[in-house]
Amino acid sequence: MALLASNITGEVGLRLLLCPLGSNVVTRTACCTVGIALPVYSTFKAIESKDENAQHRCLLYWAAYGSFSLVEVFTDKLISWCPMYYHLKFAFLVWLQLPSTSGAKQLYANHLRPFLLRHQARVDQVLGFAYCEVIKFVSSYQAEIQFVRSMVVKISGSADKMLRGDAESDRSQQHSSTEDPAVLSDAEPDH
């Protein structure tokens, strides 16, 4: 029975995933799950187990995924209109992670590493400049940043009090209605 249920579930899931006429919601969710959620958990497991090979695989994946995401930011609006785009993206993300294909390792070794080695000095220069500009921005707007920070703290504190107040008033109403005989006698009809 369990085998039958797993086959039906698998077939329905596969049909939803591969149905070209269906919404891209399923395939986009699958892409997020396979591309982000599972690798985050795998990275957690690799860090906690202190397995250097697993950590290395995770680093290669995140380098490949990060470079793919960077390219996708600029091309997504154009490419996402192509039929089966999210299906191809899903297949690519699976390829990156599969140990049998070592997709992330291949992408890193054949494309990403040579590109970064060739342009490392320029990338370091651009990142150094960007870091200095962020530091200048933060220090020049320190008062505004502090104001926004204090407002966020006040708003979150107020929201927390409101939520706790609602929860406490709900609890006190439930508590008083179950124990207060006057409430019970008001609720009962006169005989």
Side-chain angles (χ1 to χ4, degrees), residues 7 12 27 33 39 41 55 64 74 79 101 117 141 149 154:
N7 285 342
V12 168
T27 51
T33 303
Y41 186 70
Q55 291 174 359
F74 297 107
I79 301 176
T101 61
L117 286 173
Y141 291 102
R149 182 174 177 232
K154 286 179 183 178

Side-chain angles (χ1 to χ4, degrees), residues 46 49-59:
S49 70
K50 296 178 181 31
D51 180 359
E52 289 186 16
N53 290 331
Q55 291 174 359
H56 185 36
R57 275 193 311 274
C58 289
L59 282 172

Side-chain angles (χ1 to χ4, degrees), residues 2 27-29 37 55 59 74 81 83 115 127 139-140 153 177 180 189:
T27 51
R28 291 177 89 171
T29 303
Q55 291 174 359
L59 282 172
F74 297 107
W81 287 96
F115 175 82
L127 289 178
S139 49
S140 67
V153 168
S177 68
D180 189 6

